[in-house]
Amino acid sequence: MSGHGGSPFSTPQSLFDWLSPRLPADSLSSWGVKPGTKNVHNLWLELSEGETSLLDSTPPIRTVNVVTVRVLGKDKLILVEAGQELSDGSFRDRFRPLSEKMKPHESVEEAVARAVKEELGSMAVRIVPGSYQKKLEERDSASYPGLPARYVLHSVDAWVDGLPDADFVTEEKEEYEDSDGTMGLEKAVSVRKHIWKWVSSDSFSC
């Protein structure tokens, strides 16, 4: 079986046509409609950016390399993303550390620095020596119902300077630029706000 990576589909519509016979109709039709989900345009952008690959199977398997940053705070606290507000007005629970899809050929250190800058602001980050761990998780994707996902998780502990001591919210700029007018489907759903909370490391593990 072959994998699809890079830009194998010229338009979101061509991706939709490829997915349609490989996924249950009720699953695919819920993308971007069910609160908290993303749409075919999002998946097409992930493929175009090289952030995701698809295994040509039934159903296809989406593989993503993800960097996970356990930001350490005072008094054994860890920063978690409690939830996200999406551009369509929906809200989805997260309760996980700062996580970001890795770009092609990006090192873990580069991905950590980018994730912290994009989601927490331009702040100094120091990775805790010896904290790196790698593991594989396979589960259904919350963003794309019916599409199995294989996550290669690269996790580190880190200190980030300049964060508030209390819970806080950050806003994110558009995740992808609308580069041309060839979009065959509705625009991608993007994250507008991240809700961050400090939790006890004793009650949380990732």
Side-chain angles (χ1 to χ4, degrees):
M1 290 186 292
S2 62
H4 279 288
S7 301
F9 303 101
S10 58
T11 64
Q13 185 63 52
S14 65
L15 173 58
F16 180 86
D17 293 341
W18 184 83
L19 287 170
S20 292
R22 293 170 171 83
L23 289 176
D26 58 342
S27 295
L28 189 56
S29 63
S30 72
W31 291 13
V33 177
K34 182 181 178 181
T37 64
K38 296 182 178 180
N39 57 38
V40 173
H41 194 137
N42 285 97
L43 185 58
W44 181 76
L45 288 169
E46 289 181 13
L47 289 163
S48 298
E49 294 287 323
E51 297 175 343
T52 286
S53 64
L54 286 178
L55 183 65
D56 189 356
S57 55
T58 302
I61 298 174
R62 170 176 170 253
T63 299
V64 192
N65 278 273
V66 178
V67 66
T68 299
V69 188
R70 284 170 35 114
V71 177
L72 307 181
K74 299 177 181 177
D75 302 320
K76 294 185 178 181
L77 295 179
I78 291 175
L79 187 67
V80 299
E81 186 180 22
Q84 296 176 340
E85 181 183 314
L86 304 181
S87 57
D88 61 2
S90 64
F91 179 89
R92 63 177 181 177
D93 294 325
R94 298 276 285 177
F95 201 73
R96 65 183 65 174
L98 168 61
S99 301
E100 187 76 19
K101 294 186 293 291
M102 295 179 69
K103 303 285 188 182
H105 312 301
E106 189 174 43
S107 69
V108 171
E109 292 78 11
E110 290 168 340
V112 168
R114 180 175 58 83
V116 168
K117 181 176 181 180
E118 289 181 358
E119 299 198 11
L120 296 177
S122 183
M123 301 168 184
V125 56
R126 292 167 293 150
I127 296 175
V128 177
S131 65
Y132 173 78
Q133 293 184 331
K134 180 180 177 180
K135 65 179 180 179
L136 181 68
E137 283 189 5
E138 296 189 4
R139 61 178 185 267
D140 287 336
S141 171
S143 298
Y144 307 105
L147 182 64
R150 179 178 292 138
Y151 298 97
V152 183
L153 302 177
H154 306 265
S155 65
V156 299
D157 293 351
W159 297 288
V160 176
D161 295 339
L163 293 179
D165 292 333
D167 299 342
F168 60 98
V169 175
T170 58
E171 296 188 8
E172 185 164 330
K173 63 180 179 63
E174 286 296 327
E175 187 175 8
Y176 301 102
E177 298 296 331
D178 192 358
S179 57
D180 57 43
T182 63
M183 308 313 183
L185 301 174
E186 65 271 38
K187 286 193 66 175
V189 178
S190 59
V191 176
R192 288 288 171 83
K193 293 182 179 180
H194 302 269
I195 296 90
W196 303 99
K197 293 184 180 295
W198 292 102
V199 301
S200 169
S201 59
D202 296 332
S203 62
F204 180 86
S205 62
C206 67

